[in-house]
Amino acid sequence: MFFDTSGRSDALASRAKIGVIAPTTNTIVQPEFEALRPQGVTNHHARIAPSSDGIKPGDLETYAKRLERGAGPILKGIDDLVPCVPDIIVLAHSINSFRGGLDGAQNLKAELEAHAGGIPVILPSLAFLRGLEALGARKRISALTPFWPPGDAQVRSFFESAGYEICEIKGLACPGPLSIASVREDDIASLLDALAAAKPEAIIQPGTNMASTNAAAAASQRLGIPVLSCNTTTYWHNAAHARHQGSDRWLWRANGELLRLRRTMDNTIIVIGAGPVGLTAALRMASLGIKVQLFEKRPFPNRASKAGCFHPPTLEIFDEFGIMDDILAIGQKVDFIQYRDDKDNELALFDCAELADETKYPFRIHLEQAAVMSMLLEKVNARGDIDIRFNTNVTEVRTENGRAVVKTQSAEGDEEHRARAAFVCDGANSSIRDSLGIAFEGSTYAERVLRVMTRMDLSEILPGIRPLSYIFVGGRSLAFLKMPDCWRIVTRAEVGVEDAVALSPDYYNSRIRPFLGDKVEKIREPSSDIFSIGKRAAEVYQAGAAFLMGDSAHISSTRGGMNMNCGVHDANAYAYAAAKALESNTLKPLEDCAAQRRFVAVDYLLGRADQAVSKGADWLAYIQDCVRDRDARRAFLRSGLMLDML
């Protein structure tokens, strides 16, 4: 049988033994520390006389003098603990740790550790600083204490010496040390709510004999700001020195309690809009362990979108979501991009497979956006960890203390939600973008998109036509897109022509006839629709903790089918940036992502779509030059398939 006489091996303390020095009158710290204690950690208590022991209520002079006494009683507590060979010693008598400001606390820590033979000693005051730093509160705080005014003055002096502004201190002036433990959780909750009125970045609660662990965690949720109880924060800080760990990221239960706001508010991103962009953002973030709330004002995703083209980078994202088999089963695969004339002559043909060395999916898929949204929504629902709410209208998005605050209206009533950031993807007519005061700069094209659809097989009248073809005549072109259930013929309605006229067979046939001649009469059972398009980009993609993406951030010509794809790429990029933002506890990764995605939209998306609309005869000459040169051909395909826009 093996016996370890060093005290370093302990059957119940495989992770750490924690020594605790607490006043004899403290009845709260021991049960709260036990509730926070993880498996493999044991707590061992030594008791000392409290600073206010024997002082009559209201005797502030004696109380103030008692606060100035040295570390003698604490040293006695260390002497009582050292024989059990603790890994850490916690001073659970917080008032002593604030004396003399930051320098005083650091000097006290050094004195106690020297007396303990080098065993790390945790002071509540310094633990608060670490907790505030971990939660991103760096300037304004408020405090709830059980102390009398001289004790509150020490708390104020300590945090001011550490660079904090104290918005308000609510000292309860409890008449004696035992009375501190009698303060009820509901009273603590009310006091914390009142302190939040000054809008601090965080609220702290010094005093280890006040039962605030649960009240502070609940207040963090309710108020949307970190509320740090003394016992939770101090016990969490133990992890910085715990044996076998060496990092304050050791997730003891105390750490979980202290950082609960990170896992909920700070580890939550709110997504506004359940289109393909919002659903992509939600799925990607959930896969990265980010908590997501997704709000959609409609009872189900909008199925009225005109988008129906998915490019290789988008397909690669969908592949990771596990929906590509379904997309390939029902979508129209587009392997080639064809250019023809009105005599059925092929002017140029680009084989997308030439880029098989760059992408798993060297082709486009033509498929109605609504079908893909149904697949994405099914994946969202199957996960079970995405809080998606339909019939929920977002009425306001604002930023408080660097976090997003989102107000909603639904059958459940008016609610206010808080998160680390809000992703705004509620469409081109975004009311949230407008409410944030972000300009949507650009213009609307004078001509509208006029589409003619037919379920007949156009190869009957256009032999050799590919699923994506353009017919050029006299510097103008007509686009043909084969969808799973029909062909789309895409042209433009002239300025000044009313919609009702443009939708008539006589008019749209007149627009198609220059390209098809008499063949236009052979198109069976045509239908038509018309809509306006524009080229716009938000002036900025960020307002505080709100970030724009998708149609809320940019719209472009339908030529090339790129705008919706660019929105999906926005969502994917923002999701990864959100993970970095949560890890670093700063919005900078999201800010950088917003700037980069706007650059892509303005310099690539809008310019490219506009170029295709305006080039005319020069465009065809450019196409024919490209197809004859391998490098130019590959560059053209990379551009047309959006492989250079990520």
Side-chain angles (χ1 to χ4, degrees), residues 132 135-137 140-143 167 191-204 215-229 257-262 264-266 399-405 416 418-419:
L132 290 168
L135 290 171
R140 292 166 45 85
I141 60 173
S142 292
C167 301
L191 292 165
L192 294 173
D193 288 350
L195 285 170
K199 298 189 180 303
E201 292 178 295
I203 300 173
I204 60 168
S220 292
Q221 295 291 315
R222 185 174 64 254
L223 302 175
I225 59 174
V227 179
L228 284 69
S229 78
E257 290 296 325
L258 178 66
L259 300 183
R260 181 183 294 184
L261 194 58
R262 263 202 173 158
T264 53
M265 187 192 81
D266 266 10
T399 300
E400 289 185 1
N401 298 318
R403 274 73 175 169
V405 181
E416 190 168 272
R418 295 173 183 268

Side-chain angles (χ1 to χ4, degrees), residues 271 273-282 376 425 549-551 564 566-568 570-571:
V271 179
V277 176
L279 293 170
T280 295
L376 293 171
C425 36
M549 62 186 70
D551 287 3
M564 181 271 294
C566 191
V568 171
D570 291 342

Side-chain angles (χ1 to χ4, degrees), residues 16-27:
K17 288 187 289 186
I18 298 177
V20 182
I21 302 172
T24 54
T25 51
N26 191 315
T27 59

Side-chain angles (χ1 to χ4, degrees), residues 61-78:
E61 182 179 355
T62 302
Y63 179 84
K65 290 180 179 179
R66 190 72 63 83
L67 294 180
E68 296 301 322
R69 69 181 182 178
I74 304 172
L75 299 180
K76 174 61 169 61
I78 290 176

